[in-house]
Amino acid sequence: MSAAATDTYTPRLKVRYESEIRPQLKDELGLDSVMQVPRLQKITLNMGVGEAKTDAKLLDSAIEELTTIAGQRAQVRRARKSIAQFKVREGMPVGAKVTLRGARMYEFLDRLISIALPRIRDFRGLNPNSFDGRGNYSLGIREQIIFPEIDYDSINQIRGLDVAITTSAETDDQARALLLGLGLPLATEARRD
């Protein structure tokens, strides 16, 4: 693809947000301006690899898998404190993290909603109580194999990852309206896990 072709590309979820969802949310939330409408700021993917302290190859494969899922190079996360009970020293690699913004963020969310979440076994919707009180939403994914980019035969271990969706919403209700508008399948009532 040429450089000119990539400059004009806009993710379909972003186009839908700007043309349909944003004006609809302005009316629904009773806001004065479209600039007050909540929007996505970033999506952070985090994969903890506690076993990396004994086997460095596990961390390399986790970084590779997270990079494949996100489409952006994953960073190594290191322990901030030494904890003797967990045999962890300060500075040891303990996980991998990716922060997505802009077009990649919308592209990832679109893939998560339309492809990955429907592939979860016995999926009945996401927990509607996972908002943090400041308009951000977190969800845990138990298996990285729900993403079609991951080659099922090449993985050496099933790993989970955390997805944190940061919005500009001031309240959880505004964030809930935004995420439902974007198509995130929140369950109608709280599950008992």
Side-chain angles (χ1 to χ4, degrees), residues 99-180:
T99 302
L100 302 171
R101 297 175 197 272
R104 281 198 184 118
M105 167 183 70
Y106 281 102
E107 201 60 51
F108 172 78
L109 189 62
D110 194 10
R111 280 186 293 126
L112 179 73
I113 293 168
S114 57
I115 299 170
L117 290 178
R119 291 176 58 157
I120 295 176
R121 276 187 305 242
D122 301 329
F123 183 67
R124 293 188 188 93
L126 297 171
N127 187 348
N129 299 329
S130 291
F131 289 92
D132 69 349
R134 294 188 184 92
N136 304 315
Y137 186 78
S138 299
L139 67 121
I141 296 173
R142 289 197 178 114
E143 301 174 332
Q144 83 275 34
I145 55 175
I146 64 167
F147 291 96
E149 301 87 31
I150 299 292
D151 180 22
Y152 189 80
D153 298 326
S154 68
I155 63 164
N156 55 6
Q157 184 181 1
I158 299 280
R159 270 190 214 90
L161 65 135
D162 301 319
V163 179
I165 302 172
T166 307
T167 70
S168 65
E170 294 170 10
T171 65
D172 287 348
D173 292 331
Q174 286 184 352
R176 185 175 283 110
L178 169 67
L179 294 177
L180 285 172

Side-chain angles (χ1 to χ4, degrees), residues 14-33:
K14 185 174 185 180
V15 170
R16 208 176 116 228
Y17 169 73
E18 289 172 353
S19 63
E20 298 171 28
I21 300 167
R22 202 173 189 183
Q24 182 184 336
L25 281 175
K26 178 183 170 275
D27 299 336
E28 190 180 308
L29 299 172
L31 301 171
D32 299 330
S33 165

Side-chain angles (χ1 to χ4, degrees), residues 56-109:
K57 289 188 202 112
L58 290 175
L59 183 68
D60 294 340
S61 67
I63 288 173
E64 198 174 303
E65 288 165 9
L66 203 54
T67 300
T68 305
I69 290 169
Q72 179 175 311
R73 184 79 179 141
Q75 297 175 309
V76 175
R77 303 302 295 156
R78 298 188 177 279
R80 290 191 218 142
K81 290 169 73 174
S82 297
I83 302 171
Q85 287 93 331
F86 297 120
K87 296 183 174 76
V88 172
R89 296 280 159 257
E90 187 177 339
M92 269 186 176
V94 290
K97 173 189 127 172
V98 176
T99 302
L100 302 171
R101 297 175 197 272
R104 281 198 184 118
M105 167 183 70
Y106 281 102
E107 201 60 51
F108 172 78
L109 189 62

